Amino acid sequence: MLALAMPHGHEILDGDTRADADGGDAAPDAWQRAAVNAMLFYVESIPEDVQDRLNRLSPFFRLAHSAATLNSYWANHCEHCGTLLGDHELHCEPDGAFMPSNEAAAANIQLQQIQEPFEAVAAGYAFEPEFFGFVRKS
Ligand SMILES: [Zn+2]
């Protein structure tokens, strides 16, 4: 299964004032630098070069329509039956694949850097995910 993470220092354009990532309340149409690492989920668009890289890692991560959210997002699928594996379960439930509750569980997650320009539309944003061993800069 794949998930997308953003490094410390990425920028966010928050179109929704309720989902405030770093406590700022600047105008919603201004890009803001985020001094955090973050996981993205419910990702609706990814640059093509990054899509190609992800597809080489797993063909089971692809844009698909979700009956649960009534829209399409980049979702993991069961490699056996093709069922869409919802981002809510993977990213929002304790012990979901991308919400490890301890370092041992997080150790099952491999971080790979993709050196490509990246811009995405994502409805899900989890900042400073725990246990990942991201490099922290201050
Ligand atoms: Zn299955």
Side-chain angles (χ1 to χ4, degrees), residues 78-83 85:
C78 174
E79 61 183 316
H80 303 292
C81 65
T83 299
L85 304 171

Side-chain angles (χ1 to χ4, degrees), residues 4-138:
L4 292 157
M6 302 303 294
H8 192 280
H10 63 276
E11 293 188 334
I12 57 174
L13 179 64
D14 194 345
D16 182 349
T17 51
R18 287 168 306 162
D20 201 345
D22 60 1
D25 46 19
D29 59 350
W31 285 93
Q32 290 199 286
R33 191 162 296 277
V36 292
N37 299 298
M39 298 277 288
L40 301 182
F41 52 100
Y42 292 131
V43 178
E44 292 165 35
S45 77
I46 301 175
E48 246 178 69
D49 288 343
V50 177
Q51 292 180 22
D52 292 344
R53 297 280 292 269
L54 295 172
N55 194 255
R56 266 176 267 155
L57 293 170
S58 170
F60 303 105
F61 185 70
R62 59 179 185 266
L63 188 65
H65 184 265
S66 162
T69 61
L70 300 175
N71 70 352
S72 293
Y73 67 89
W74 281 79
N76 289 282
H77 294 75
C78 174
E79 61 183 316
H80 303 292
C81 65
T83 299
L84 185 148
L85 304 171
D87 269 1
H88 181 79
E89 283 70 25
L90 300 181
H91 287 271
C92 305
E93 295 284 353
D95 289 317
F98 298 113
M99 199 175 175
S101 58
N102 55 58
E103 282 180 27
N108 293 320
I109 300 168
Q110 293 177 14
L111 295 178
Q112 290 195 18
Q113 281 192 21
I114 296 181
Q115 299 284 0
E116 299 279 357
F118 181 78
E119 182 177 306
V121 176
Y125 183 86
F127 61 94
E128 293 300 5
E130 287 190 281
F131 308 116
F132 275 77
F134 283 124
V135 175
R136 280 179 194 241
K137 297 173 195 156
S138 56

